[in-house]
Structures are given as C-alpha cells and as structure tokens.
Amino acid sequence: DLDQDAIRDLNVGQDLSTLLGETMNAYSYSDSGNGYGYSYLRIRGFDQTRIAVNVNGVPLNTPESHQVYTIDLGDFATGLGLIQIQRGPGTALYGSPAVGGVVSLETANLPTAATGNLEMTVGSFGTSRLSLSYGGAIGKSPWAYSVRAAHVESNGYRTPSWSRQTFAQIAFERFDPTSVWRILLFGGPEETQLAYYGVPYQDLGNPVARRSIAPLIPGETDNFFQPQLQVMNDRRLAQTLMMKNTVYAIFGNGYFRQFAASLPYDPLGERVPTTVDNAWTERAVGNRQIGWIPRIAWSHDRGELTAGLELMLHRGRH
C-alpha cells in the first residue's frame, strides 16, 4: 500500500506505469528511455494484459485486449490518495481476473477547506511539469469540489521520442451520515512521437548510438483523448450492511500516423494493388464503454463478505 505521502515521494510526473515499477516485484520500461510517454509495467514477469488495473474500482484495462494505456493519464498520480498493489492472482473482489497482479488506484478525498496547490518542475531531456489544483467546500452545503489541471512534456532520452500530455480533472463529493456521493470527470489529450522499436544489442554500449538510433521517423505520432466519467455512491443500509454503486462512461478517440517507403494500396479490392511510394497512413481508433458495478458488503463477527457484479457495454471501432 502506498498512501498519499508515499506517492508524493515517488511522483515526479513520470508515466503511471513507470511509477508503479518502483515497487517490489515490479518492473517497468518506457519507449522514450526516461520514463515519460509510452511505458509498460510487469509484475512478477507478467505484462500489463495479465494485470488488472482499476481506478476507484473501474477497470482501466481495455475490454478487447485487456491492455492498459496509462499515457492518457499524464500526472494522474498527483491526485491519488492510495495505490494498492496485490501480487499474484487477483480475487473476484476486484472484478476482472488477473494472474500477474491487481493494481487499485484510489483518488484522494476532496478538501473541505479552501486550498490550492501549484507545482512547477523542470529536468533533463527537456522534461517539465506544471500542476495546478484548487478546491474546498461549496458554501455551507454538504458538497465539496476540486479542480485540477496539469501538463507534462519531455523530449525523451532517445531522439526522437518526445511526448506532450495535458490532463484535467473536476470532482465533487457529498457527505451525510448514511451516504457518500462522488462524481469524477478526468482525462486529457496526448501527443507522442512513436519510438517502440528497440536499439540493436551491438549499439547499446555506444552512448551516442543508443540515443540516436530510431527506426521510426519524425512525424510518426500517436494522438489520443480518452475522458472518463465516474459516479459513485456508498450507502449504509444497516449497521453492518453497506451498498456501493459505481456507474461509469469512457469515450476514447484518436489516431496514429505511420510512414511506409512502399505501401501496397488497394482501395477498390483489385487483384493487383497500386504501390504508393513515401506514403503516410493514419489509423483511427474509437472506443465507447459504459458500465455499472454494484456491490454489497456485510460485516459480521468473523470478517466481511462482499458480493457484486460488473455489467459493461463496449464498442471499439478501428
């Protein structure tokens, strides 16, 4: 378990997968070589498709491949109150099963007194981060609010492997003796120079070559925007009985550009395709995901029993 103070000690604006790779039995690497942009997490040797990652109980894994894309969450860790990592096979308590492990991300509680925070950091390889947050109670009502915006960019250790990530979050909370409401909307656009090919082994010892060898050329970029809305309610039905409901919606749209020195192009389905030299292709991706996660927890003398289910409607178009 990493509480808010532990997260603050580790977080320097790096990709979320890179931050999680700092924990025990975990390993991470990034395309850019310095932890920004596209990054990948492994727990006990299993890759991200075998790790269930949840944000407030909502699955971050894509339904069609179970892959995790944390590049859409630039500086997301700044707003987290708890990171819990369970190594080994996940239980049904966390919803989607996983053999490598389960990562549970919980956003921090909102401040009840007016407060704000501004952080500006700069580092090597053209890396910088700007984060601004403000929030507090809404008058004398039981509601509290918080707004946060951040921008992270880096040129990357490799050339070229730059990334630009912008993030925004709006949150509301309402407390009363028997019920807690939480409404959260977050997301932001990212643009990244693709650099997913590795450096040949024989060039790793050359500090100039390992930074400059890039089979992908400038302009081969990834552009994506995937906002997420979460509405959560925890209600006490009796002294020992709690009901939790989460409704969420995720909408993702974007594209990636690739260059081909020679591209077979056959739009009309002819037997002999036309060959296009020095071609640029743009491949679009659209995702729509709506879900409901109801749970009920019963506390008794010998422990706690939790039961629930997950209902999801997903459509992906490529």
Side-chain angles (χ1 to χ4, degrees):
D1 290 347
L2 300 176
D3 61 14
Q4 199 163 6
D5 291 335
I7 297 171
R8 189 179 296 111
D9 290 340
L10 288 175
N11 180 37
V12 291
Q14 71 271 48
D15 185 81
L16 187 59
S17 293
T18 303
L19 186 147
L20 295 172
E22 308 261 347
T23 62
M24 293 192 313
N25 300 123
Y27 166 78
S28 66
Y29 67 95
S30 66
D31 291 344
S32 65
N34 69 334
Y36 292 82
Y38 266 103
S39 300
Y40 312 90
L41 174 70
R42 289 179 178 267
I43 294 180
R44 288 184 169 173
F46 292 96
D47 66 14
Q48 292 181 149
T49 61
R50 299 297 181 259
I51 303 169
V53 182
N54 303 310
V55 178
N56 297 324
V58 175
L60 195 60
N61 303 74
T62 58
E64 61 182 82
S65 65
H66 215 245
Q67 186 58 265
V68 181
Y69 297 101
T70 53
I71 193 170
D72 304 311
L73 301 173
D75 200 38
F76 186 63
T78 299
L80 293 177
L82 175 68
I83 296 177
Q84 184 184 67
I85 301 175
Q86 174 187 329
R87 296 157 182 84
T91 65
L93 179 64
Y94 294 96
S96 302
V99 295
V102 176
V103 177
S104 181
L105 309 172
E106 296 288 339
T107 53
N109 292 327
L110 303 190
T112 55
T115 182
N117 188 59
L118 173 64
E119 292 184 41
M120 295 179 288
T121 57
V122 294
S124 53
F125 311 114
T127 305
S128 64
R129 174 174 65 122
L130 174 65
S131 179
L132 172 66
S133 63
Y134 189 83
I138 302 178
K140 296 183 179 180
S141 71
W143 286 92
Y145 79 100
S146 174
V147 294
R148 188 167 74 86
H151 180 77
V152 180
E153 62 179 61
S154 176
N155 292 335
Y157 175 77
R158 305 176 65 188
T159 304
S161 62
W162 54 264
S163 66
R164 310 285 184 266
Q165 298 165 275
T166 302
F167 179 82
Q169 177 177 296
I170 303 174
F172 297 93
E173 283 185 352
R174 185 186 191 279
F175 295 91
D176 66 43
T178 61
S179 176
V180 176
W181 283 94
R182 302 178 67 195
I183 303 172
L184 190 66
L185 175 64
F186 60 88
E190 62 84 13
E191 184 179 9
T192 303
Q193 166 67 42
L194 297 174
Y196 47 79
Y197 285 119
V199 177
Y201 176 78
Q202 64 270 18
D203 297 313
L204 285 177
N206 186 332
V208 176
R210 69 184 180 215
R211 288 196 61 189
S212 59
I213 292 179
L216 299 172
I217 68 173
E220 296 193 76
T221 59
D222 177 88
N223 301 259
F224 206 70
F225 178 39
Q226 184 163 284
Q228 183 172 153
L229 172 66
Q230 300 180 354
V231 180
M232 297 157 279
N233 177 246
D234 297 351
R235 182 173 299 275
R236 186 175 297 280
L237 303 178
Q239 188 63 30
T240 60
L241 200 61
M242 285 285 295
M243 173 172 281
K244 301 182 179 183
N245 280 285
T246 300
V247 178
Y248 67 90
I250 304 173
F251 301 97
N253 284 287
Y255 63 90
F256 60 96
R257 302 178 74 237
Q258 290 180 303
F259 176 79
S262 179
L263 178 72
Y265 182 60
D266 187 16
L268 301 179
E270 299 175 352
R271 291 182 178 272
V272 181
T274 301
T275 299
V276 181
D277 295 330
N278 300 323
W280 286 91
T281 62
E282 189 171 289
R283 303 169 188 265
V285 180
N287 286 314
R288 299 292 184 270
Q289 184 178 337
I290 301 174
W292 174 39
I293 306 175
R295 287 173 291 171
I296 190 165
W298 171 46
S299 299
H300 51 87
D301 295 338
R302 303 178 66 178
E304 182 177 279
L305 175 66
T306 301
L309 54 88
E310 178 184 354
L311 302 175
M312 181 197 302
L313 175 65
H314 171 261
R315 180 184 181 185
R317 184 175 179 85
H318 298 251

